[in-house]
């Protein structure tokens, strides 16, 4: 089985190498290099990908992750800022930079980027992360408003539903918590957390 798996990997690598003039193929090859603990090779591939296609976000994101794994956070910041110049409204990049700033204990600055990620992201996860940060800063009503916006998006997100109930309980609004629980139940009645909450009323 190992031989077959290794052979399949070799075939896949060769297919990617055929397209090595394109950033997506280079990012895929870098992924293999990281799994095989070849950090230098991965870095070279990702840097080449960025030169070829500076607007290809996965190349930037993967390089930032690689620099974080190898304790080169300052170089990671340069990559994110360079990518943000190309696509300032990209939610993933804004979130990545916000998390970088959080690790550097620059929470106030991070909030600006979390806000931008929440505003431009098409996935409710971005609003959820911003809402959690707002709540941690004591801005509970703003956090709840952000979570309600996230809950109204077409994509279902369990964390959003749970956070709405938790914040409603936190501010002693049992009526709101009940309302959110009913809405969540309509979306995902099989969730064990819902069954536990409804069963314990």
């Amino acid at each position: 089985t190992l031989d077959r798996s290794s052979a399949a990997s070799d075939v896949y690598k060769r297919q990617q190498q055929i397209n090595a003039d394109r950033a997506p193929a280079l990012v895929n090859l870098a992924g293999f290099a990281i799994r095989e603990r070849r950090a230098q090779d991965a870095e070279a591939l990702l840097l080449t990908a960025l030169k070829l296609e500076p607007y290809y976000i996965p190349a930037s994101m993967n390089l930032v992750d690689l620099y974080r794994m190898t304790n080169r956070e300052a170089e990671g910041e340069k990559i994110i800022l360079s990518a943000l110049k190309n696509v300032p409204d990209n939610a993933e990049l804004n979130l990545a930079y916000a998390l970088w700033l959080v690790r550097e204990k620059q929470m106030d600055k991070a909030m600006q980027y979390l806000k931008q990620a929440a505003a431009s992201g098409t996935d409710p996860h971005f609003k959820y992360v911003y809402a959690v940060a707002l709540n941690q800063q004591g801005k509970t009503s703003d956090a709840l408003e952000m979570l309600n916006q996230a809950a109204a998006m077409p994509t279902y997100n369990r964390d959003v539903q749970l956070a709405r109930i938790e914040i409603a309980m936190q501010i002693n609004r049992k009526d709101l918590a009940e309302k959110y629980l009913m809405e969540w139940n309509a979306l995902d009645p099989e969730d064990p957390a819902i069954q536990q909450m409804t069963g314990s009323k």
Side-chain angles (χ1 to χ4, degrees):
T1 310
L2 280 173
D3 286 345
R4 270 206 298 271
S5 173
S6 177
S9 293
D10 288 342
V11 169
Y12 182 77
K13 282 184 201 174
R14 281 198 294 274
Q15 286 174 339
Q16 299 306 311
Q17 281 157 355
I18 291 167
N19 298 308
D21 57 341
R22 296 296 315 279
L26 291 167
V27 169
N28 290 337
L29 287 168
F32 267 105
I34 290 168
R35 283 194 289 277
E36 292 169 357
R37 300 178 186 273
R38 294 184 289 112
Q40 282 185 312
D41 290 345
E43 181 183 5
L45 287 161
L46 292 167
L47 286 169
T48 304
L50 278 176
K51 279 179 191 165
L52 286 172
E53 298 179 51
Y55 290 83
Y56 187 63
I57 304 304
S60 298
M61 296 292 290
N62 280 275
L63 189 52
V64 170
D65 287 342
L66 178 63
Y67 285 149
R68 188 172 70 249
M69 286 189 289
T70 52
N71 299 312
R72 295 160 68 188
E73 290 274 17
E75 289 173 76
E77 183 189 25
K78 288 176 190 169
I79 296 298
I80 298 176
L81 290 175
S82 175
L84 278 169
K85 280 181 187 171
N86 291 328
V87 275
D89 294 336
N90 183 271
E92 281 186 69
L93 285 173
N94 277 283
L95 178 58
Y97 191 42
L99 296 177
W100 188 94
L101 289 164
V102 168
R103 289 194 296 275
E104 295 296 311
K105 309 282 192 291
Q106 297 181 49
M107 195 63 204
D108 287 346
K109 193 174 177 185
M111 292 301 287
Q112 302 167 30
Y113 290 90
L114 288 173
K115 184 178 182 180
Q116 179 59 52
S120 54
T122 55
D123 189 298
H125 174 72
F126 297 106
K127 284 183 168 54
Y128 166 76
V129 175
Y130 183 41
V132 169
L134 286 167
N135 193 44
Q136 285 173 347
Q137 293 197 335
K139 298 175 181 175
T140 312
S141 58
D142 291 341
L144 205 48
E145 170 58 29
M146 191 55 51
L147 289 169
N148 286 335
Q149 288 180 29
M153 294 174 80
T155 307
Y156 169 73
N157 185 298
R158 183 181 190 270
D159 291 335
V160 168
Q161 303 299 334
L162 196 54
R164 286 206 301 170
I165 293 168
E166 285 173 352
I167 291 180
M169 295 301 284
Q170 181 186 317
I171 58 173
N172 297 315
R173 287 290 306 275
K174 195 175 178 186
D175 57 321
L176 264 186
E178 293 276 351
K179 175 177 175 284
Y180 295 150
L181 183 58
M182 285 174 64
E183 289 175 7
W184 186 11
N185 188 46
L187 287 169
D188 189 11
E190 299 301 315
D191 191 303
I194 296 174
Q195 293 171 357
Q196 190 177 5
M197 287 182 204
T198 52
S200 60
K201 277 197 298 179

